[in-house]
Amino acid sequence: MPSDKKKPLGTSRRWFLGQALTAAGTAIVAPKVLDNVNVAEAQQMSSNSLRDGKTERNSPIQGETPVTLTINGQTQTVRIEPRVTLLDVLRERLGLTGTKKGCDHGQCGACTVLVDGDRVYSCLSLAIMQEGRSITTIEGLAKGEQLHPVQAAFIENDGFQCGYCTPGQICASVALLNEVNRGCASAVTADLTRPPQLATLSEAEIKERLSGNLCRCSAYNGIVASVQQAAGQTPPSPAATMLVEEVAG
Amino acid sequence: MNKVIGTAVSRTDGLAKVTGKATYTGEQQIPGLVYGYLVTSAIAKGRIRSISTEAAQKAPGVIAVITHKNAPKVFKPTNNFITSKIYEARLPLSDEQVHYGGQIIGLVVADTFERARDAAQLLQVEYDIETPLVNSAKATYKAANSMFGEEMAFRKGEFSSGTGVTEPATIEATYTTSTELHVPMEPHAIIAHWQEDALTIYEPSQWVAGIQRTYAELFGIPSEKVRIVTPYIGGAFGSKVYPWPHSILCAAVARQIQRPLKVVVSRRQMTANTGHRSETEQTVKLTATKDGKLDAIVHTAKSVTSPVDMFPEPCTNITPVMYAAPNMQVNQTVATLNVGTPTFMRAPGETPGMWAMESAMDELAWKLNLDPVELRLKNETTTHLRKNLPFSSKHFADCLKEGAKRFGWQNRPRQPRTLTRDGKLIGWGMAAATYPALRGNATVKVRLLPDGRVNVLTSANDMGTGTYTLIAIMTAETLGVSVDKVSVEIGDSLFPDGGLAGGSQMTASLAPAVQQACQNLLKSGKFTNTKEAIKELQSSGRAAVEATGSSAPSEEGKNWAFQSWGAHFCEVSIDEEIGRLRVTRWVSVMDIGQVMNAKAAASQIRGGVIMGIGEALMEECVFDPNTGQPVVYDLATYHYPSHADIPRIDVTFVGKPDLTFNPLGARGGGEIGITGVAAAVANAVYHATGKRFRNLPIAPDKLMA
């Protein structure tokens, strides 16, 4: 395991390349040796709350390497091949299926998670590159029973139908509000020297900033209203107008 | 009785969905699960000469490599829509023939997803290539029957146009739509788990009881040995009703390898293997008197299907429904192309049908210098002109008038190219909406507990439509308890058959069944109300009182036609220089009978409208004319609306219950929202630019041309 977890990105990337080369080289020369090493490492790791996914494998996989991730405040170590994405670690190894796979190509935003507070498409992120970072998924947004204000707003404003894009929309919305607080501008910000505040964040700004998250049920009106509510604004009612209100017996 | 029906109730499945706890198909945690990755054809027509699997079999972690040479046997199901149905009549890997680009030709199973995907690239396939046909203009069309085998052509009247009609005004035009993809956010997925001779299927399904029977027939086992589990569905729009080839293959291979097997169809593979809406070409001819009374409607429609199944897009279903005309003729033809199998997609038939009809009505209104709202009011029909039955409840005129009022339609200039804003052309358009009201059989079990909580169980499902909440509303209303006391479990074949979620019928089928079950529960103990039942439970020490209830349509369909109605009004803003079109305002008024949940129903209509805006402006799957492969195949190439494309959608419901239809008077709203939308947009574009667009989508290149 790298001891330089907290070092800047460049170090991590160099470490990743080195590690990948080592794994490949060893595999060609002496696969058995590698297997033995991996078994030893795995045994050592199992005392450290190792969860190697739901698939109960009898033998470790060649080329796998232990990766320690901090997810929703908990540190976990998984053994994965370097090609495994953060999304597939969450869904297929750790049982954190709240993060959704919609396209696997960074085109829909369903897999959006927060990495050190920034929104990231987890399908485009290799898990092995996330060591030392703080990852927050949809499962980690609420504090116990207390929903994050964005989560509560999504329920109230009907910000979803099927719910499959919802975790990504919510994580993106949480990041969006943080970005506004930090004074980030968007492509539709008219005056870059005066980015919007939460109170003045327009529908056009919200829509622009959320357009990396697709929703085929098209709950877009409800999602925008949810962000408005979480920003402290008063959104329009999500309900329809009724011409007559009769209840059948 | 407390009033819950028709109020705005937040989704009861909302908490699970916003916390990531709602478990969709690919997310079931099953020990020993292995992963399958589909191998698909690189050609669109021909045969597989040879397929070499050696490298894949030797790849790390690989458990099985399945091709047509070693495919496990499955039986042909009855495939009649009633007992069983599969989307594609040809069973997967049944021979070496390739009928369309991207057809499934193999499955690689490995211990991890990455290793299965990697090994799937190692198959060496040699083909005998034939020239595929993907260009509908070169296809041979023949008369189409409906998917249920009924004749689609229809003719009434003598076509003696001219007698009584002096100086008739005529419009005749051809309208086309492109191949459209459902692209639900949740990719198609399945986990098949055999335990001895019993099969558990985790798969998104709009028809739990139906596919339970289908899998039983496919594997020659009794239905009781098949369990279907589908608690949450990540969008479907018609593409997740029956098993697709990948589903059948997964279940068959899982039995062979005796391991629980998961197959997720990749976004690219979905293009060919999980359905689409066929491209269509329709010609509409309208003849009317000078003051706008229709004398004749002629509507012909063409669509295409795959070589391995028949699905004609029923565009002409709307013709005898919308407008009165003494003379009417409809005709449908279909041709076969080397493309994947088309299927139902949100308002199949009505969506392209209303695009053509409502565009033609707009053209007629301009020709006669009539307000398009007035033209529609003038030609309203109170009867279904093919069935010769009166509509049970019709408030179409209210939709038109209320929509016009809310939009401010009376201020619309009568000339194109007269409205501008910020240097852009502004146009206003409108169109009607319609969708039939369907209803099926449904059964529900209700259980009341001593602490006042109520459990409701049914195999019905919620693909985002609001079924969980609907059941809770109906239970709360009938038993006089609050919504939060009701827990709903659905999407499991162990529960009573809750019917089919398709054709906008889940609410209409299910709500009366829930009502019946709740009433039966009170009757069963001769309780006058729920409080009394709870008291009895507490004093007797019984664990629960339970009852089932069913609902089914009766003979009413012999005397009445059931149909929903609506009207859309919209504004577009167009920058002609760069071909940029923005929909800036939208008003929809819908008559869907009793609305059960003012919040979820509004979202359904908005969702339909937005999918319609996608159809109007951007959705288009294109095939390479030489290779036959789709060149639009994922969410980067298949464009559909994002946040920035969509204005607020103002939704109003008439809300009058249709009590002839069912005891609640509710007709369902999953599909009507999309109908007429593309025409409303194109009609607004004409108002803005003076240019009539008859080919969808109205993409920037067409606007600039």
Side-chain angles (χ1 to χ4, degrees), chain B residues 280-513:
Chain B
T280 66
E281 182 185 311
Q282 301 172 72
T283 301
V284 178
K285 183 180 177 187
L286 302 176
T287 307
T289 62
K290 254 197 299 192
D291 60 350
K293 220 47 193 141
L294 285 168
D295 180 64
I297 301 173
V298 181
H299 185 183
T300 62
K302 292 175 173 178
S303 69
V304 296
T305 191
S306 80
V308 287
D309 211 314
M310 171 57 69
F311 184 88
E313 179 78 13
C315 304
T316 53
N317 282 355
I318 55 103
T319 326
V321 167
M322 280 313 295
Y323 302 113
N327 303 294
M328 194 170 283
Q329 185 177 335
V330 308
N331 204 19
Q332 279 217 225
T333 54
V334 65
T336 299
L337 295 185
N338 294 109
V339 298
T341 302
T343 192
F344 327 95
M345 177 170 160
R346 203 174 205 161
E350 287 80 11
T351 300
M354 289 296 276
W355 147 247
M357 181 60 68
E358 293 300 291
S359 292
M361 285 293 278
D362 199 67
E363 296 204 45
L364 183 64
W366 282 103
K367 185 156 193 173
L368 293 168
N369 194 26
L370 276 177
D371 186 301
V373 175
E374 193 188 328
L375 179 66
R376 284 164 175 84
L377 286 169
K378 205 168 252 189
N379 289 287
E380 200 185 351
T381 172
T382 53
T383 58
H384 189 300
L385 297 164
R386 184 165 189 171
K387 293 180 176 172
N388 287 316
L389 294 172
F391 292 115
S392 57
S393 169
K394 182 171 184 182
H395 305 286
F396 179 43
D398 291 342
C399 298
L400 290 166
K401 289 173 190 165
E402 179 68 16
K405 195 172 91 187
R406 292 182 77 85
F407 189 83
W409 187 254
Q410 73 278 7
N411 300 323
R412 172 177 172 266
R414 285 279 183 105
Q415 285 300 315
R417 299 189 78 89
T418 43
L419 285 176
T420 58
R421 191 193 303 142
D422 302 332
K424 297 181 185 78
L425 288 165
I426 302 295
W428 292 358
M430 62 80 53
T434 196
Y435 192 79
L438 306 173
R439 183 187 170 198
N441 300 0
T443 304
V444 168
K445 181 188 267 187
V446 178
R447 184 188 291 144
L448 176 68
L449 306 175
D451 61 3
R453 285 183 298 127
V454 189
N455 297 336
V456 190
L457 309 171
T458 175
S459 80
N461 53 52
D462 191 331
M463 45 188 172
T465 44
T467 307
Y468 278 103
T469 319
L470 165 81
I471 293 172
I473 287 172
M474 204 56 234
T475 307
E477 178 85 34
T478 316
L479 290 179
V481 300
S482 63
V483 166
D484 58 13
K485 290 281 184 199
V486 185
S487 68
V488 178
E489 287 181 71
I490 59 177
D492 193 323
S493 61
L494 294 178
F495 306 147
D497 180 0
L500 165 75
S504 297
Q505 66 181 297
M506 185 108 269
T507 294
S509 309
L510 203 55

Side-chain angles (χ1 to χ4, degrees), chain A residues 61 83 91-93 100 102 151 156 158 161-162 203 207 211 216 220-221 238 241 243-244 246, chain B residues 11 17-18 24 27 35 114-115 118 181-182 267 594 599 603 619 641 644 646 648-649 653-654:
Chain A
I61 288 176
R83 63 181 165 181
R91 285 174 66 81
E92 306 297 341
R93 273 85 175 174
K100 304 304 181 196
Q151 290 174 307
E156 200 174 318
D158 217 30
Q161 291 184 42
C162 82
E203 284 193 14
K207 291 194 290 188
S211 280
R216 185 56 161 167
Y220 292 130
N221 283 186
T241 309
L243 288 188
V244 295
E246 294 176 37
Chain B
R11 286 171 202 264
K17 285 180 176 174
V18 303
Y24 298 79
E27 302 167 354
Y35 296 79
E114 292 78 15
R115 290 171 139 194
D118 197 12
L181 306 178
H182 303 74
R267 196 48 79 173
Q594 173 69 51
K599 219 189 256 197
S603 290
E619 296 190 28
I646 295 305
R648 281 211 164 269
I649 314 285
F653 291 110
V654 174

Side-chain angles (χ1 to χ4, degrees), chain A residues 67-89:
Chain A
V67 172
T68 301
L69 298 170
T70 304
I71 302 166
N72 300 330
Q74 285 191 314
T75 299
Q76 306 190 64
T77 302
V78 288
R79 300 189 57 84
I80 50 167
E81 295 172 286
R83 63 181 165 181
V84 178
T85 63
L86 175 58
L87 175 61
D88 286 326
V89 164

Side-chain angles (χ1 to χ4, degrees), chain B residues 46-129:
Chain B
R47 58 182 288 280
I48 297 164
R49 192 193 312 148
S50 72
I51 187 160
S52 164
T53 59
E54 270 175 38
Q57 274 166 334
K58 282 185 195 151
V62 169
I63 294 161
V65 181
I66 308 293
T67 69
H68 66 277
K69 289 185 174 167
N70 63 345
K73 274 269 170 290
V74 288
F75 300 101
K76 267 199 181 302
T78 323
N79 207 18
N80 62 0
F81 285 97
I82 299 158
T83 43
S84 67
K85 178 70 187 158
I86 54 177
Y87 271 115
E88 198 167 288
R90 177 184 182 270
L91 293 168
L93 308 188
S94 49
D95 55 37
E96 76 285 5
Q97 296 298 322
V98 175
H99 301 279
Y100 54 85
Q103 177 185 312
I104 294 168
I105 59 167
L107 182 76
V108 174
V109 180
D111 58 353
T112 71
F113 165 68
E114 292 78 15
R115 290 171 139 194
R117 182 182 58 189
D118 197 12
Q121 323 304 320
L122 301 176
L123 269 73
Q124 300 285 323
V125 188
E126 287 184 303
Y127 301 95
D128 292 327
I129 305 174

Side-chain angles (χ1 to χ4, degrees), chain A residues 157-214:
Chain A
N157 294 282
D158 217 30
F160 52 88
Q161 291 184 42
C162 82
Y164 200 78
C165 75
T166 312
Q169 300 274 1
I170 290 175
C171 286
S173 299
V174 169
L176 180 161
L177 295 171
N178 291 339
E179 289 157 16
V180 173
N181 272 327
R182 290 208 308 266
C184 297
S186 84
V188 298
T189 305
D191 181 352
L192 294 181
T193 65
R194 295 175 59 199
Q197 314 276 301
L198 288 181
T200 58
L201 189 66
S202 66
E203 284 193 14
E205 281 279 1
I206 296 169
K207 291 194 290 188
E208 174 65 26
R209 289 162 189 255
L210 276 183
S211 280
N213 289 78
L214 295 174

